[in-house]
């Protein structure tokens, strides 16, 4: 996710999505929350959430809010696992051929408006995501379901899709092929339910304000002042409300790192992410949480300049990634020489360890490639080149570091255009850019979440990359039941993608953070929605 993924696969990889490694205060019961202490968590967000409609959201900022105010059939637990009863489904059965899942909803589960949550709500929501009219960029995350892709592409009707409410408490789902991690997928944001009757009532106003939302999760959105702050409050109609100790979560939208640090020091914020020089400031207090995330420079393959592969390679090879990680980021991030990050499983070990680095930096080679590319384009001078970047403090520093590399190692002046997250996404989608700092965090714990997005005309393929051989390898990997063949196809596909340098990977991220000692139960997942607030409590 964009922080964003694409179609699913058919092999024995992991039986559960988002496995293992969730960072949490384990075994600390929420009953330890001191009843005399105000149970309010004070946080910040780097951006205003662009979209709080579960079927249309695509970014991590929105995902974190949606994960707090909605819940699906399952909820990933503190240890990153899927267990029966963890979400709105009390249990389920799976047919012997692994194609039919029958989910049984809990009794007496309610929306925040008091209406019952039904299997019909789930059927409506999932088909809504697939409806071409919804234009959900994440529709493909439901493609394991029978005829889902055909309906989304206009080749089948909604009735043909393998999603059916048998009664108000029973949802039957039929898959195209066995998908061992399907249960975990049902926790993904696009799979979250919306209340059918409410959506039909508010129409296009859905998720535009707290009044135009109804919630199924631990919290409700009480206040949303765009570009300023959001307030979440406990949802008293939530089925597991007794294990939710926070009464409120206050989230300010803050882009300036100095402001964040000052407010953390004065106690206004209970935890903040830190980077760069702030790592040194909080030396001895900083903790690190690994992310299944890659940062890269999107290179517009359809632009007059970056349609040339040698110029794309030149800009990539001119970046000193180790210097960037060690001297600019300073947050535990590591240089990226592939698109699939560290920690993602491969055939027998980590995928990245099995494949290794797919390129290396070379400033002399970068200059040669730039000259060669310019000759191929029959130009003697580059036009003005711009880099889209975040308007946050850390985003500006990253952009400035890249700008310096290109000036020093290529002799090219690049203009930085810092802008709000939502505007940058729109520019990426419409391909109105030369270069843009972008990122992708794993939607599920498999290399495919970083590879299938680059197929021709893929919903999140904002670089415009297209290669028939790549498309075939991805399709083959998604179709074969042979785990080794599948992994081999993905490795070949990644090499094609990197050789073309459709995007320039720059680093695999890690989150460095500081957190007050009185904050307990805060879970940080390494894959998927990172910050889980359901089990947080304040103990002073």
């Amino acid at each position: 996710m964009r922080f964003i993924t694409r179609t699913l696969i058919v092999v024995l990889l992991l039986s559960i999505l988002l496995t293992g490694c969730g960072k949490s205060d384990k075994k600390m019961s929420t009953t330890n929350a001191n009843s005399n202490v105000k149970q309010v968590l004070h946080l910040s967000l780097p951006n205003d959430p662009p979209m709080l409609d579960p079927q249309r959201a695509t970014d991590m900022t929105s995902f974190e809010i949606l994960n707090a105010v909605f819940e699906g059939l399952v909820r990933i637990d503190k240890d990153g696992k899927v267990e029966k009863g963890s979400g709105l489904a009390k249990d389920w059965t799976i047919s012997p051929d692994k194609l039919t899942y029958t989910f049984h909803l809990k009794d007496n589960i309610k929306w925040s408006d008091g209406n019952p949550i039904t299997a019909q709500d789930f059927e409506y929501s999932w088909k809504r995501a697939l409806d071409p009219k919804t234009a959900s960029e994440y529709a493909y995350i439901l493609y394991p379901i029978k005829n889902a892709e055909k309906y989304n592409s206009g080749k089948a009707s909604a009735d043909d899709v393998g999603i059916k409410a048998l009664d108000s408490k029973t949802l039957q789902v039929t898959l195209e092929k066995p998908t061992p991690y399907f249960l975990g997928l049902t926790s993904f944001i696009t799979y979250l339910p919306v209340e059918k009757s409410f959506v039909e009532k508010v129409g296009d106003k859905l998720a535009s304000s707290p009044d135009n939302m109804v919630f199924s999760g631990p919290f409700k959105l009480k206040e949303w002042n765009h570009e300023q702050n959001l307030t979440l409050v406990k949802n008293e109609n939530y089925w597991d409300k007794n294990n939710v100790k926070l009464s409120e979560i206050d989230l300010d939208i803050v882009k300036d790192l100095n402001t964040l640090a000052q407010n953390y020091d004065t106690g206004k914020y209970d935890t903040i992410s830190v980077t760069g020089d702030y790592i040194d400031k909080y030396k001895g207090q900083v903790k690190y949480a690994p992310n299944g995330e890659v940062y890269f420079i999107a290179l517009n393959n359809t632009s007059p300049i970056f349609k040339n592969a040698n110029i794309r390679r030149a800009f990539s090879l001119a970046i000193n990634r180790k210097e960037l990680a060690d001297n600019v980021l300073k947050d535990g991030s590591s240089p990226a020489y592939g698109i699939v990050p560290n920690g993602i499983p491969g055939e027998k070990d980590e995928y990245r360890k099995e494949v290794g680095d797919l390129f290396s930096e070379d400033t002399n080679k970068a200059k040669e490639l730039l000259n060669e590319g310019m000759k191929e384009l029959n130009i003697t001078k580059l036009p003005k080149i711009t880099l889209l970047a975040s308007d946050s403090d850390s985003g500006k520093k990253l952009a400035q570091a890249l700008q310096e590399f290109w000036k020093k190692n290529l002799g090219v002046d690049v203009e930085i255009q810092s802008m709000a997250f939502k505007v940058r996404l729109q520019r990426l989608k419409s391909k109105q850019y030369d270069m843009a700092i972008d990122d992708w965090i794993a939607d599920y714990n498999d290399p495919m979440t970083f590879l299938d997005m680059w197929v021709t005309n893929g919903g999140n393929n904002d670089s415009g990359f297209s290669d028939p051989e790549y498309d075939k390898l991805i399709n083959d990997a998604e179709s074969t039941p042979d785990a080794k063949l599948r992994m081999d196809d993905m490795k070949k596909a990644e090499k094609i993608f990197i050789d073309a340098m459709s995007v320039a990977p720059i680093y695999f991220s890690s989150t460095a953070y500081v957190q007050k000692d009185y904050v307990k139960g805060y879970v940080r997942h390494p894959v998927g929605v990172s910050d889980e607030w359901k089990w947080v409590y304040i103990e002073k």
Side-chain angles (χ1 to χ4, degrees):
M1 71 197 74
R2 210 177 247 113
F3 324 1
I4 294 185
T5 283
R6 240 198 152 299
T7 40
L8 286 298
I9 39 234
V10 188
V11 280
L12 296 169
L13 358 123
L14 300 167
S15 58
I16 295 174
L17 163 83
L18 310 178
T19 55
C21 311
K23 298 295 182 183
S24 65
D25 297 299
K26 289 186 179 180
K27 310 304 181 185
M28 299 191 73
S29 169
T30 52
T31 58
N32 291 337
N34 191 326
S35 59
N36 296 320
V37 175
K38 195 174 182 181
Q39 294 298 312
V40 179
L41 183 66
H42 302 280
L43 303 174
S44 65
L45 292 173
N47 304 289
D48 192 43
M51 173 58 66
L52 292 183
D53 177 343
Q55 276 73 61
R56 296 170 62 208
T58 61
D59 67 284
M60 180 57 79
T61 302
S62 299
F63 277 23
E64 288 191 340
I65 300 299
L66 289 167
N67 186 62
V69 299
F70 285 93
E71 188 163 272
L73 294 172
V74 301
R75 190 175 200 92
I76 304 303
D77 70 12
K78 298 177 184 179
D79 298 313
K81 298 178 181 178
V82 172
E83 302 288 350
K84 286 188 175 182
S86 60
L88 299 179
K90 63 180 178 182
D91 58 32
W92 51 78
T93 58
I94 305 173
S95 63
D97 62 5
K98 310 297 182 184
L99 292 178
T100 303
Y101 288 65
T102 304
F103 295 93
H104 305 282
L105 301 187
K106 286 184 169 74
D107 297 328
N108 301 317
I109 49 175
K110 297 179 180 179
W111 293 101
S112 56
D113 62 5
N115 291 330
I117 298 173
T118 67
Q120 284 82 2
D121 289 325
F122 277 95
E123 178 180 357
Y124 170 78
S125 303
W126 294 8
K127 288 182 177 179
R128 177 175 179 262
L130 292 168
D131 188 338
K133 294 178 182 178
T134 303
S136 171
E137 293 176 29
Y138 254 125
Y140 52 73
I141 206 77
L142 290 99
Y143 282 4
I145 299 171
K146 185 176 181 180
N147 289 325
E149 183 173 8
K150 289 181 179 179
Y151 173 46
N152 186 234
S153 59
K155 298 176 182 177
S157 70
D159 292 339
D160 296 325
V161 179
I163 307 167
K164 186 175 183 180
L166 302 183
D167 56 46
S168 64
K169 292 296 180 183
T170 311
L171 181 72
Q172 186 178 84
V173 184
T174 304
L175 305 185
E176 289 278 2
K177 307 162 187 173
T179 307
Y181 48 89
F182 180 71
L183 285 173
L185 279 180
T186 65
S187 72
F188 190 77
I189 298 301
T190 315
Y191 282 79
L192 297 177
V194 290
E195 186 180 10
K196 181 176 183 290
S197 59
F198 184 82
V199 176
E200 291 174 341
K201 175 183 175 182
V202 300
D204 292 340
K205 293 181 180 179
L206 180 69
S208 60
S209 68
D211 291 341
N212 289 310
M213 299 180 72
V214 177
F215 312 99
S216 60
F219 302 97
K220 301 185 295 184
L221 179 60
K222 178 183 178 181
E223 187 176 8
W224 185 8
N225 298 307
H226 289 281
E227 301 296 342
Q228 297 180 46
N229 68 287
L230 299 88
T231 302
L232 310 184
V233 296
K234 183 174 179 178
N235 179 6
E236 293 297 337
N237 278 332
Y238 179 56
W239 69 271
D240 198 26
K241 66 179 181 181
N242 291 337
N243 283 315
V244 178
K245 298 306 176 185
L246 290 177
S247 60
E248 186 173 313
I249 303 175
D250 295 333
L251 302 115
D252 292 336
I253 298 165
V254 182
K255 303 178 187 293
D256 180 68
L257 291 179
N258 190 50
T259 300
L260 273 178
Q262 289 177 352
N263 287 338
Y264 178 78
D265 292 344
T266 61
K268 182 175 181 180
Y269 299 137
D270 298 320
T271 181
I272 61 170
S273 296
V274 292
T275 187
D277 295 337
Y278 292 90
I279 301 291
D280 300 327
K281 170 181 169 64
Y282 294 107
K283 189 174 182 179
Q285 303 175 50
V286 179
K287 299 178 182 179
Y288 297 91
N291 300 328
E293 180 179 23
V294 59
Y295 270 77
F296 55 89
I297 300 164
L299 303 167
N300 186 351
N301 292 202
T302 67
S303 74
I305 296 301
F306 290 104
K307 68 181 180 181
N308 183 275
N310 282 324
I311 291 181
R312 296 197 300 268
R313 295 182 187 114
F315 274 76
S316 178
L317 268 57
I319 300 166
N320 189 323
R321 289 158 175 81
K322 188 174 189 306
E323 183 179 332
L324 184 70
D326 293 347
N327 300 329
V328 179
L329 302 173
K330 301 180 183 180
D331 59 0
S333 296
S334 59
Y337 300 101
I339 200 67
V340 179
N342 302 322
I344 302 298
E347 184 182 352
K348 297 178 181 178
D349 198 347
E350 287 187 21
Y351 175 93
R352 192 75 273 144
K353 290 180 180 178
E354 292 178 354
V355 176
D357 295 341
L358 293 178
F359 69 98
S360 60
E361 293 133 358
D362 186 330
T363 54
N364 290 329
K365 182 66 174 176
K367 292 175 183 176
E368 292 176 9
L369 288 168
L370 179 61
N371 289 330
E372 188 176 337
M374 291 172 66
K375 288 179 182 177
E376 291 169 351
L377 293 176
N378 197 28
I379 59 174
T380 57
K381 183 181 179 180
L382 289 175
K384 182 179 75 172
I385 293 176
T386 59
L387 173 70
L388 305 190
S390 167
D391 58 354
S392 68
D393 190 35
S394 59
K396 291 176 182 177
K397 287 182 178 179
L398 173 59
Q400 289 164 3
L402 293 168
Q403 183 185 50
E404 290 177 14
F405 286 133
W406 291 320
K407 177 63 175 177
K408 176 183 176 182
N409 297 329
L410 286 182
V412 176
D413 292 310
V414 173
E415 177 185 314
I416 297 171
Q417 294 184 349
S418 299
M419 57 189 63
F421 184 48
K422 187 173 183 178
V423 177
R424 188 157 42 99
L425 284 183
Q426 291 171 344
R427 291 278 294 273
L428 277 161
K429 291 299 173 190
S430 61
K431 294 184 175 56
Q432 294 179 316
Y433 73 96
D434 296 322
M435 300 188 292
I437 298 172
D438 205 352
D439 69 285
W440 193 264
I441 190 167
D443 293 329
Y444 50 95
N445 204 7
D446 185 80
M448 188 61 80
T449 188
F450 296 94
L451 296 172
D452 61 2
M453 64 188 284
W454 305 111
V455 298
T456 301
N457 296 323
N460 294 304
N461 182 356
D462 297 334
S463 74
F465 172 72
S466 178
D467 186 288
E469 186 179 356
Y470 183 92
D471 294 348
K472 182 179 185 304
L473 286 166
I474 294 300
N475 182 68
D476 289 348
E478 291 176 333
S479 303
T480 179
D482 187 310
K484 185 180 186 308
L485 286 176
R486 173 180 175 275
M487 197 61 63
D488 288 344
D489 284 341
M490 288 194 290
K491 292 174 181 178
K492 291 175 185 176
E494 186 188 25
K495 188 174 188 312
I496 290 172
F497 181 69
I498 294 299
D499 285 349
M501 205 60 75
S502 173
V503 306
I506 45 179
Y507 65 91
F508 301 138
S509 75
S510 176
T511 298
Y513 66 96
V514 288
Q515 182 172 298
K516 302 295 186 182
D517 291 339
Y518 55 75
V519 177
K520 309 295 182 182
Y522 200 116
V523 176
R524 289 175 170 85
H525 290 303
V527 177
V529 176
S530 56
D531 291 28
E532 173 61 78
W533 303 320
K534 173 179 174 176
W535 299 288
V536 176
Y537 62 96
I538 308 300
E539 184 177 76
K540 293 183 179 180

